[in-house]
Amino acid sequence: MTTAQATDTVDQQADFDAVVSAEGRIEPRDWMPDAYRATLVRQIAQHAHSEIIGMQPEANWITRAPSLRRKAILMAKVQDEAGHGLYLYGAAETLDVDRGELLDKLHAGRQRYSSIFNYPTLTWADVGAIGWLVDGAAITNQVPLCRCSYGPYARAMVRICKEESFHQRQGYELLHALSHGTPAQHAMAQDAVDRWWWPSLMMFGPPDDESSHSEQSMAWRIKRHSNDELRQRFVDICVPQAESLGLALPDPDLRWNEERGTHDFGEIDWSEFQQVLRGNGPCNEQRLDQRRTAHENGAWVREAAAAHAAKHSARTSDDAVSGTATGEGAMAG
Amino acid sequence: MFLTGRAADAAVALGDDALVLSHRLGEWAGHAPMLEEEVALANIALDLLGQARFLYSLAGDEDELAYLREERAFRNAQLVERPNGDFASTIARQLYFSSYQELLYTELASAEGELAPLAAKAVKEVAYHRDHAVQWTLRLGDGTAESSRRMQAALTDLWRYTGELFDPVEGLPVDTAALREPWLASVSAVVRQATLTLPDGPDRSGWTAGGGRHGIHTEAFGRMIAEMQHLHRAHPGATW
């Protein structure tokens, strides 16, 4: 590196730091430190992968939804998740990576998705529990990301959070109907909450003293609150909602702490979290297999779209015939 | 105010077409070849489900109609109940059916009767469904050797379910037989442009020809509605 280049980098770093600390936004063409870019790619890709893997446990119930109204709501929700995947892969692509490459990493197990989706949806009530608890936890995590220092991610999150809060209310409403329905429906709802409560708390990640990426992400204004702060906030939101639902949260140690002005709750089983993270959850293999299979089965379709687009553009430039340009190239990823 | 008699039967038959195809498209969720198609197929499925709900609401309770009738009471054409198969097969089914539905709803929108307002609204959705199917037929037909082979196989395989579409639907103020000629013209044009051919074989499937409108279905349909109805039926009288 020449002295001039070194001075440039120092200036660029200073500009970057100034924008970030003044709560400004970093945009795709702005200079950014390599590690900042890498952190964002990792986080946005993981988030995008979570959206598309997260379609599976809910899609599991589309064909069995017990009323046409619920079927429509569920199908629209799963469709929204595919849409969120699209925005997020789009946001990641502003960082000079492409969707195909990120999907390959997901399929090879080199990038993660949220561990919560490695649990099975065993009954219809699980659809409600995912909406209420899993989407609720996701919103608690994601609302602060709407102020993330990286512009495209922050803007994608604004849109996603609006839809997520809609999903969360739908999940709550589904559970409310079950809880206030027949005894069998109530039992189904309680069983689902019993199974999803603890994994939802794990969605905030390991305790603060064991979280490896937190400090730097806070300094970069990618992350705003610690894992434990967000987890506490989520518990405090859920307790009164569970009461309104008429459902119990499966934690004998859960109680209001007058002094702290917040709820105390029981010990999380972090060994379970580590097991699921290592690939030993109930559905890790199933989820990745389905994703890989869908991708492999779709390869000939994507190749056909690319081949058609190539022929079409060749023909158009040959004889300047205007045709039905369809933009297939974008789908070939 | 519910429709009664033959007018109600017609609403239910069209509702059954829409519900059953919506259900089949819903089976793609999480399995589509690319994210854009996850969105598009779900979108079409949701439009069809919306049509089904409206049509059923003219004739009775939507959930009773969807969940508590047995196989033989459904009046959908057999084409829409065919299993998804590969993506080409789903697209061929979409091309055949959306081309029919667009013509049918256009006629229905200009006919006298209670279904006209629904048809006028739905025809716009269906035009989009058809465009989606047309674009994919062109891409797959004139894409790679493999995609062309698959698309041709799908068109050929489903051809024998197309004749039934033009059988009369009880109580419907549309001459469905008269739709066959414009349907064939529009489908042929797309297939030709896709560098494929329409099959020579019969457009009816053996002894069950025209059976769907009379409650005769294919074996796969029984399993489909068993899955669709089981939870609702397991909790009689419950609300969801």
Side-chain angles (χ1 to χ4, degrees):
Chain A
M1 190 184 280
T2 65
T3 316
Q5 279 170 329
T7 312
D8 277 356
T9 306
V10 169
D11 289 348
Q12 286 165 329
Q13 179 74 51
D15 288 348
F16 172 88
D17 291 343
V19 170
V20 168
S21 61
E23 298 288 339
R25 291 276 178 274
I26 302 299
E27 295 299 337
R29 289 179 186 187
D30 295 343
W31 183 90
M32 63 188 84
D34 291 343
Y36 176 83
R37 183 184 296 273
T39 294
L40 281 167
V41 168
R42 180 179 55 76
Q43 182 169 337
I44 299 173
Q46 175 166 337
H47 193 164
H49 299 332
S50 301
E51 295 285 355
I52 64 168
I53 296 277
M55 294 168 69
Q56 292 182 31
E58 293 177 285
N60 183 36
W61 283 92
I62 287 177
T63 54
R64 293 177 288 171
S67 73
L68 296 186
R69 176 172 162 265
R70 293 291 178 198
K71 193 181 179 86
I73 291 171
L74 181 57
M75 208 144 42
K77 185 185 176 195
V78 174
Q79 184 193 32
D80 282 347
E81 283 155 5
H84 295 174
L86 280 173
Y87 313 153
L88 287 163
Y89 287 117
E93 285 182 335
T94 65
L95 293 160
D96 295 335
V97 288
D98 74 52
R99 195 207 305 183
E101 181 190 325
L102 298 177
L103 286 173
D104 287 345
K105 286 185 177 161
L106 168 67
H107 299 153
R110 288 193 288 126
Q111 280 180 342
R112 290 183 189 285
Y113 58 89
S114 177
S115 279
I116 192 78
F117 300 119
N118 292 317
Y119 291 88
T121 46
L122 301 179
T123 73
W124 169 250
D126 289 32
V127 171
I130 288 185
W132 177 45
L133 294 173
V134 175
D135 292 339
I139 294 164
T140 309
N141 263 327
Q142 291 169 6
V143 164
L145 289 172
C146 298
R147 295 185 293 129
C148 165
S149 60
Y150 188 57
Y153 192 31
R155 289 187 288 273
M157 290 318 302
V158 170
R159 195 160 161 190
I160 289 172
C161 282
K162 279 185 196 153
E163 294 181 355
E164 290 290 357
S165 68
F166 198 60
H167 297 162
Q168 195 263 352
R169 283 200 296 276
Q170 288 169 335
Y172 176 89
E173 196 254 332
L174 190 163
L175 284 179
H176 194 273
L178 294 180
S179 179
H180 295 83
T182 66
Q185 285 176 307
H186 181 89
M188 191 193 283
Q190 183 61 59
D191 168 61
V193 169
D194 289 348
R195 283 181 289 110
W196 288 92
W197 172 249
W198 290 106
S200 301
L201 294 189
M202 295 176 199
M203 284 175 68
F204 297 92
D208 291 348
D209 48 13
E210 291 166 30
S211 174
S212 52
H213 301 295
S214 288
E215 207 176 314
Q216 181 61 72
S217 287
M218 294 257 206
W220 278 331
R221 306 283 206 273
I222 294 174
K223 194 172 169 141
R224 300 268 170 181
H225 307 281
S226 79
N227 295 354
D228 288 332
E229 272 170 47
L230 291 169
R231 189 168 10 247
Q232 181 70 58
R233 186 180 295 177
F234 177 67
V235 171
D236 290 338
I237 291 170
C238 288
V239 171
Q241 292 182 350
E243 275 168 29
S244 317
L245 282 171
L247 296 170
L249 295 173
D251 179 358
D253 298 324
L254 187 64
R255 62 179 59 83
W256 179 249
N257 181 322
E258 193 67 50
E259 209 173 295
R260 291 201 304 128
T262 186
H263 293 86
D264 291 337
F265 55 96
E267 194 67 32
I268 293 171
D269 179 2
W270 290 111
S271 64
E272 175 180 320
F273 178 76
Q274 291 302 336
Q275 280 296 321
V276 179
L277 206 61
R278 274 189 224 115
N280 301 322
C283 298
N284 296 58
E285 284 181 31
Q286 179 189 327
R287 300 287 185 242
L288 259 190
D289 278 351
Q290 180 178 327
R291 183 86 266 300
R292 282 191 207 108
T293 304
H295 193 71
E296 285 161 15
N297 288 347
W300 69 269
V301 178
R302 297 189 301 275
E303 284 157 16
H308 180 83
K311 286 186 207 178
H312 183 84
S313 68
R315 279 176 210 158
T316 309
S317 55
D318 278 357
D319 51 21
V321 171
S322 69
T324 48
T326 46
E328 301 95 327
M331 297 191 193
Chain B
M1 244 335 240
F2 292 147
L3 298 178
T4 53
R6 293 171 69 227
D9 292 345
V12 170
L14 298 191
D16 289 348
D17 279 347
L19 175 66
V20 171
L21 186 55
S22 168
H23 185 94
R24 285 297 190 205
L25 292 171
E27 292 173 354
W28 271 105
H31 299 277
M34 63 190 78
L35 269 178
E36 286 81 354
E37 286 308 300
E38 291 284 359
V39 175
L41 295 172
N43 212 26
I44 296 168
L46 280 164
D47 284 345
L48 290 165
L49 184 53
Q51 292 169 16
R53 296 180 67 191
F54 185 85
L55 286 159
Y56 286 162
S57 76
L58 297 175
D61 178 84
E62 61 175 28
D63 287 337
E64 275 182 40
L65 287 164
Y67 292 97
L68 298 177
R69 279 181 302 154
E70 300 205 5
E71 191 179 341
R72 294 277 282 103
F74 278 80
R75 292 288 180 268
N76 56 282
Q78 293 175 356
L79 175 66
V80 294
E81 74 200 37
R82 297 309 300 145
N84 287 336
D86 67 2
F87 188 70
S89 190
T90 288
I91 292 300
R93 193 181 60 198
Q94 286 302 112
L95 178 71
Y96 288 156
F97 186 74
S98 63
S99 300
Y100 160 75
Q101 210 189 15
E102 189 179 20
L103 290 165
L104 179 68
Y105 280 1
T106 302
E107 286 296 308
L108 204 50
S110 57
E112 293 287 314
E114 293 82 354
L115 301 183
L118 174 270
K121 176 174 174 288
V123 78
K124 295 178 195 141
E125 296 169 352
V126 173
Y128 159 75
H129 305 171
R130 182 170 180 278
D131 185 55
H132 174 262
V134 167
Q135 296 306 324
W136 273 111
T137 302
L138 298 178
R139 285 183 200 125
L140 299 181
D142 190 17
T144 62
E146 181 181 10
S147 70
S148 173
R149 177 182 61 72
R150 285 178 184 258
M151 192 65 219
Q152 183 61 62
L155 289 170
T156 303
D157 179 50
L158 290 171
W159 179 250
R160 66 184 190 278
Y161 297 98
T162 59
E164 185 192 357
L165 297 173
F166 308 101
D167 288 344
V169 177
E170 285 267 313
L172 199 67
V174 174
D175 175 8
T176 45
L179 302 178
R180 188 160 196 278
E181 203 177 309
W183 179 86
L184 194 59
S186 83
V187 170
S188 304
V190 176
V191 169
R192 205 177 313 118
Q193 199 188 335
T195 69
L196 302 169
T197 51
L198 279 183
D200 301 328
D203 64 357
R204 290 181 179 268
S205 114
W207 70 274
T208 63
R213 300 296 184 206
H214 304 287
I216 302 290
H217 296 281
T218 57
E219 286 185 347
F221 182 64
R223 287 190 297 280
M224 192 205 98
I225 65 164
E227 183 174 340
M228 183 176 88
Q229 295 181 339
H230 100 273
L231 179 59
H232 185 96
R233 285 177 178 266
H235 297 262
T239 51
W240 300 94

